[in-house]
Amino acid sequence: MDHSQMVSAQWNSSYIVLSYIIAALASYVSLELAGRAGQNFTQSTSRFWLVAQALVLGYGIWAMHFVGMLAYQVDVAASFNTGLTVFSGLIAVAMIYPALRILHAGPLTLGRLAAAGSIAGLGIVVMHYTGMAAYQMPGTEAQIVWFPLIASVLIAVGASMVAFFLFRLLSSEWVSRQTRMGLFGVKLGAGLVMGAAVIGMHYTGMAALNYHVVDEMKTGLASGGVDTSLLALIVGVVSFLLIGLAVTSILMDAGRGGDLDEMDFGSGSAAD
């Protein structure tokens, strides 16, 4: 087989910008949810906010990933395998939730932070490469480039640890000493940085696979998966609906007296 001919690709800047907006929005909303997930609420209420946080962050990262994949526009027929596409999204949420449980199960230590960050980071990595496996281009074959692959794993784990540190910070007594505007600025800045780290992992991970043409007769054939334009519409609509629902829940909770200024920053944990 001739592996010398690489698939010709161009990057769509609009999709790249959209992927960052989704990542930054999901990061910011997850920071808002973190302050509620880590408080000394009843067990059922605390679990609700942890699940909400896992859904928003996990789905947000998954949505960013597929919008980022759509930004990679190739000159061969491409589609997404339905089963692997859905499975990759479930992986992200399924790995982030137990990581959040570990994070809030006791006092914050480097070991606890490393364990939670590693579980979430590896979940993001598995989600990413499962999603890339779902990206079907008949007549092509992917070859691994090890340096960006290893770098993508390190970025995912490192970014998760930083994010989880911020989550605990926002559910600690530190919050009660901040002004409302100051706290908003911290969350906004952290959300923008987290969004950059998330897409940094994604595009580094994409550089870990080079696609080569192995059968030119098949490169123009569709593989029968989900059409990319349809996926873009579904992901975009669901992303903003989910983030909007999370924001609405936060505002309703604040209206019921759940504002951070009125919360008890006790030593209780979400996993008690």
Side-chain angles (χ1 to χ4, degrees):
M1 291 186 295
D2 180 14
H3 297 273
S4 60
Q5 184 180 352
M6 290 188 63
V7 172
S8 177
Q10 294 182 331
W11 290 96
N12 185 307
S13 58
S14 297
Y15 278 133
I16 292 175
V17 172
L18 180 59
S19 70
Y20 175 70
I21 291 173
I22 291 174
L25 275 175
S27 297
Y28 175 80
V29 174
S30 69
L31 289 167
E32 286 284 357
L33 293 170
R36 289 158 171 78
Q39 299 310 315
N40 190 22
F41 292 150
T42 63
Q43 186 178 20
S44 60
T45 304
S46 180
R47 185 176 292 114
F48 168 81
W49 290 113
L50 281 177
V51 171
Q53 189 179 5
L55 282 172
V56 169
L57 189 58
Y59 178 81
I61 294 172
W62 177 84
M64 173 282 309
H65 164 83
F66 279 100
V67 172
M69 289 291 291
L70 295 175
Y72 183 70
Q73 300 184 337
V74 295
D75 61 353
V76 300
S79 62
F80 288 92
N81 177 279
T82 306
L84 284 177
T85 298
V86 174
F87 181 62
S88 66
L90 295 176
I91 290 172
V93 176
M95 295 292 280
I96 288 177
Y97 178 73
L100 289 171
R101 295 282 295 179
I102 291 172
L103 179 70
H104 292 293
L108 181 62
T109 63
L110 181 58
R112 185 180 301 281
L113 185 63
S118 296
I119 291 173
L122 291 177
I124 293 170
V125 169
V126 174
M127 177 279 297
H128 174 83
Y129 288 106
T130 301
M132 291 196 72
Y135 191 59
Q136 300 178 330
M137 292 186 287
T140 68
E141 184 176 90
Q143 293 182 326
I144 296 174
V145 183
W146 288 102
F147 178 76
L149 187 148
I150 295 171
S152 70
V153 175
L154 295 177
I155 292 172
V157 173
S160 296
M161 289 180 65
V162 172
F164 282 9
F165 173 79
L166 291 171
F167 293 161
R168 281 301 296 260
L169 182 65
L170 290 170
S171 60
S172 70
E173 293 182 359
W174 174 84
V175 174
S176 63
R177 299 191 295 269
Q178 310 304 310
T179 64
R180 189 177 297 273
M181 287 304 298
L183 188 59
F184 171 76
V186 169
K187 291 177 182 178
L188 180 61
L192 293 174
V193 172
M194 284 173 60
V198 168
I199 67 167
M201 179 273 157
H202 170 76
Y203 291 109
T204 301
M206 289 200 68
L209 294 178
N210 284 337
Y211 292 93
H212 297 261
V213 175
V214 294
D215 189 343
E216 292 185 0
M217 297 296 293
K218 295 181 179 179
T219 55
L221 300 177
S223 56
V226 180
D227 180 73
T228 56
S229 59
L230 175 62
L231 181 65
L233 177 62
I234 293 173
V235 169
V237 170
V238 175
S239 296
F240 289 105
L241 282 176
L242 182 61
I243 291 172
L245 180 61
V247 171
T248 301
S249 298
I250 292 169
L251 293 175
M252 290 177 64
D253 179 66
R256 289 193 301 266
D259 201 306
L260 290 174
D261 289 341
E262 302 174 9
M263 290 181 179
D264 174 19
F265 293 92
S267 58
S269 68
D272 290 344

